[in-house]
Amino acid sequence: MVKGEYVMQMTEYDYWKIFPRMPRKITVGDITIRDGFQHEEKFISTAAKVFYLEELIFAGCRNIEVTNLGNPANMPQFRDAEELLTHLRSDRFKKRCERKGVNYNDICLTAITIRESSIDRAIELREKGIGPDRLLMMVSTEEEHHFANSGTTLPDYWKEAERCTQKCNDAGMKMCGTVSTIWGSPIGGATDMKDAVEFTKRWLEIGAHDVEHADHDGSASAPDVYRYFSMILDEIPDPGLHIAHFHETKRVASASVLAALQAGITHFEATFGGLGGQPSNFLDDCPTKGTGEYYYEDPRYVGLITLEDTLVQIDEMGIEHGYDVDRVLWLGKQMEKTIGRRLRSEAVINGRTLKEGHMQFARPGLSKRKEKLGEEPGQKFPEEWGTKAVLPEKYRAG
């Protein structure tokens, strides 16, 4: 094979031919109200939570985390869990959905239920008619991180998870099994991705509906994200079973999103402004239990991928997502007021890449200048130049 033939065979400009598994339509779930707010050291009002839950749904979100059903003594941010679920199950909200053209039956409400007592609480709420559609339990492949989150060993938790998944399914709810520390642990360090593949299979074996694959400390790198999700889809090929959950600590998580897309992942999670992280151990003026001491030095570098930036990234790739992006960007600005500080979304500040440009910044006089020089409108090169550039021989391919 000569050099020129090699170049011709390797050149391909159609992104979907290079990455044939990459989807043209994806689902982006929002977990701001739960994962985003759990990290805040002030109580976010119930009215604010209701506002953002409603507005997210009206803006196109169909998979939304509402709350945590754990003991509010440990995480008082979620003391209004039943109030939020009651509102979302109300006839008033259902009528609002109808007026907005939203099919209420398309909405999936998720609650976090790390331990069995939370599962039992979810079932009680379900019996009252206000329960969630989907529950979530979590294991970490690194046992120290798992112990910090759940207080149990891995074998003991797996037995609990099996019981709880059966209870959940019997009650008519779905179970999402989370696998964390796939690419590394903030406590135990490096991990083996093969363990996470096995953990994923275990969740499905015991009856989970889907699996969240989580990078809870921003350890993931794009190459390893691509390798991992390729491994997952080689063994469990239905992309509807898998949700990618990336945290942002090094400002490179957008590369992880792209790598997951290239591997074939179709479901993602995000939060407004990149909010989120370990449950707070302080709320308003009072220390709380949370999950213990924070395992990070600086809270500015904790949180998830931003919903706003992720949607702009996806939208500008031409991938269908179902959101009103401009509405989400407006909501992101409101969220900064709610939280009381500048958040991590760049798209909220800089907006989308507009094809029509920003002509308000144009300097006056270009058309007159071109006319004075005898140039045609839109002319880009001197008229005496050829219509196509002729590269010097040393720069030509082949």
Side-chain angles (χ1 to χ4, degrees), residues 98-333:
E98 186 177 356
R99 288 197 299 270
K100 296 280 187 178
V102 173
N103 184 345
Y104 183 82
N105 293 326
D106 289 342
I107 303 167
C108 180
L109 306 179
T110 296
I112 306 307
T113 50
I114 298 298
R115 301 303 306 272
E116 191 163 7
S117 58
S118 302
I119 298 286
D120 292 338
R121 185 183 179 194
I123 293 170
E124 290 174 6
L125 294 175
R126 181 82 171 179
E127 291 169 351
K128 293 179 182 179
I130 61 170
D133 302 299
R134 180 172 170 267
L135 309 180
L136 183 146
M137 297 183 75
M138 188 184 83
V139 294
S140 303
T141 61
E142 196 274 299
E143 200 163 22
E144 290 289 352
H145 184 264
H146 177 82
F147 183 70
N149 277 330
S150 68
T152 73
T153 67
L154 277 170
D156 192 44
Y157 190 84
W158 276 118
K159 289 186 286 186
E160 182 175 340
E162 184 176 29
R163 289 194 308 273
C164 290
T165 301
Q166 186 63 54
K167 284 184 177 183
C168 172
N169 290 338
D170 289 346
M173 294 180 285
K174 299 173 182 176
M175 174 63 78
C176 175
T178 293
V179 179
S180 184
T181 62
I182 296 168
W183 296 278
S185 165
I187 299 175
T191 55
D192 189 337
M193 292 188 292
K194 292 179 182 177
D195 289 341
V197 176
E198 181 62 26
F199 276 44
T200 299
K201 292 178 180 178
R202 294 290 183 174
W203 272 121
L204 297 173
E205 180 183 29
I206 64 174
H209 175 77
D210 52 18
V211 178
E212 176 192 273
H213 305 264
D215 174 26
H216 276 145
D217 70 333
S219 295
S221 66
D224 279 342
V225 169
Y226 182 81
R227 290 187 195 101
Y228 173 72
F229 282 119
S230 295
M231 291 161 59
I232 284 290
L233 290 170
D234 280 347
E235 299 211 32
I236 312 164
D238 181 357
L241 296 173
H242 309 292
I243 304 108
H245 175 112
F246 296 115
H247 279 232
E248 180 79 271
T249 58
K250 302 186 288 287
R251 301 299 283 166
V252 297
S254 60
S256 293
V257 171
L258 179 59
L261 286 167
Q262 291 168 342
I265 294 300
T266 61
H267 288 61
F268 295 83
E269 292 178 333
T271 61
F272 275 121
L275 290 168
Q278 187 179 2
S280 65
N281 57 28
F282 204 94
L283 192 72
D284 294 335
D285 59 357
C286 184
T288 64
K289 186 176 180 180
T291 54
E293 292 299 312
Y294 297 149
Y295 44 69
Y296 52 81
E297 297 288 335
D298 190 328
R300 293 177 301 172
Y301 299 99
V302 178
L304 282 89
I305 58 172
T306 75
L307 178 66
E308 306 96 311
D309 297 2
T310 299
L311 286 177
V312 168
Q313 176 185 2
I314 297 300
D315 193 64
E316 295 187 359
M317 289 178 68
I319 297 174
E320 186 179 345
H321 49 72
Y323 278 84
D324 179 341
V325 177
D326 293 326
R327 186 66 177 173
V328 168
L329 293 178
W330 180 83
L331 287 168
K333 292 179 181 178

Side-chain angles (χ1 to χ4, degrees), residues 42-56:
K42 73 168 186 175
F43 182 74
I44 308 301
S45 73
T46 303
K49 290 172 183 172
V50 167
F51 171 81
Y52 288 110
L53 286 166
E54 286 193 350
E55 289 297 326
L56 275 162

